[in-house]
Amino acid sequence: MVLRAECFSPNAVEKDAAVLHAVGRCLESRGAQVEYLREEQLSAADVAIGSDVGAVFTMARSETALKKLQRTEDDGVEVVNSTRGVRLCGSRRAIDELMRANDIPAAPAYQHGAGWVKSDSGHQVRFAADESAVASFSKTIAHPVVTAHVAGTDLKFYGVADAFFYPSGHPNLRQAAVRLARLAGVSVYGGDAVVRPDGSFVIVDFNDWPSFSPCRDEAAAAISQLV
């Protein structure tokens, strides 16, 4: 089990650690031997994961850690989430393009009026009320991704493959999110959607392995059954 580095868990260090430990407890209850590494430890030159390991559950995102995990995958060890999927989810632009190419509801491309300016990677997100604000914010954010503002209700969602999804009661969102997760190559995922007053929705953010705070125990049970 590889715990996410604090720099990738802004204001969520304890929550991110809690879900991974919950998965570990589920695995131990089924007789598995579980070991924990911090992402910073995995990045050290003298730390390696052997091919005798049954599976690796990881929240790591640094390129150094991902390179080691990719070698572990190449040795035939199951890694959840896959390094390919984690890298893809690390780029908002790549996820946005993946959704548009596969007709998954995404926020409209920006044309005028209010919009959102986000960094391609990282945590920079700014709401811009008009074209002038969009232009101004775009100059301060590296590799900005700009989309139109969509009016509606914000909704956080969480999923584990196609076996678990929170919240219930949104079958169309579940179908779209499961499909996106498959295309992205991640089994443990979450994100943000905006549900319009007419019930239609767009996915405005998609992440590999969120904290699952409102549904941690149920998600941990589902994650522990992946391998």
Side-chain angles (χ1 to χ4, degrees):
M1 313 287 281
V2 183
L3 295 157
R4 184 171 290 157
E6 292 188 10
C7 64
F8 297 115
S9 293
N11 304 314
V13 174
E14 293 182 358
K15 291 179 181 179
D16 282 350
V19 67
L20 202 66
H21 280 98
V23 174
R25 289 192 296 272
C26 287
L27 290 168
E28 288 172 334
S29 72
R30 299 169 64 184
Q33 180 179 349
V34 177
E35 295 184 31
Y36 293 90
L37 281 175
R38 297 192 309 274
E39 181 171 350
E40 295 89 340
Q41 289 176 285
L42 185 60
S43 298
D46 59 345
V47 175
I49 296 176
S51 58
D52 57 336
V53 172
V56 179
F57 291 83
T58 173
M59 298 180 78
R61 286 179 173 171
S62 70
E63 185 56 32
T64 302
L66 290 176
K67 285 180 179 178
K68 284 193 176 181
L69 290 167
Q70 186 170 351
R71 289 197 291 271
T72 301
E73 286 178 309
D74 293 341
D75 287 337
V77 177
E78 186 78 13
V79 175
V80 179
N81 282 310
S82 72
T83 55
R84 168 190 170 271
V86 174
R87 287 189 175 102
L88 185 62
C89 288
S91 168
R92 287 191 173 95
R93 190 179 309 280
I95 289 294
D96 186 76
E97 291 173 352
L98 186 65
M99 287 195 290
R100 297 184 193 285
N102 291 276
D103 297 321
I104 294 172
Y110 181 78
Q111 294 182 334
H112 56 78
W116 289 88
V117 184
K118 305 177 182 181
S119 56
D120 180 45
S121 60
H123 306 284
Q124 293 176 288
V125 178
R126 300 289 299 271
F127 171 72
D130 52 33
E131 291 90 335
S132 176
V134 167
S136 177
F137 294 155
S138 295
K139 295 177 182 177
T140 64
I141 293 179
H143 309 294
V145 177
V146 185
T147 56
H149 174 66
V150 177
T153 302
D154 294 337
L155 178 69
K156 288 189 175 295
F157 63 86
Y158 305 89
V160 180
D162 58 358
F164 172 81
F165 192 81
Y166 179 93
S168 59
H170 295 274
N172 292 335
L173 174 58
R174 174 175 183 155
Q175 182 180 28
V178 168
R179 186 161 167 255
L180 178 56
R182 288 175 179 168
L183 290 167
V186 293
S187 301
V188 184
Y189 57 91
D192 295 86
V194 175
V195 182
R196 299 186 182 96
D198 64 1
S200 64
F201 67 90
V202 293
I203 295 174
V204 295
D205 204 7
F206 187 80
N207 307 302
D208 61 284
W209 207 317
S211 65
F212 291 92
S213 294
C215 53
R216 182 180 299 134
D217 292 341
E218 299 92 333
I223 296 167
S224 71
Q225 296 179 49
L226 284 175
V227 178

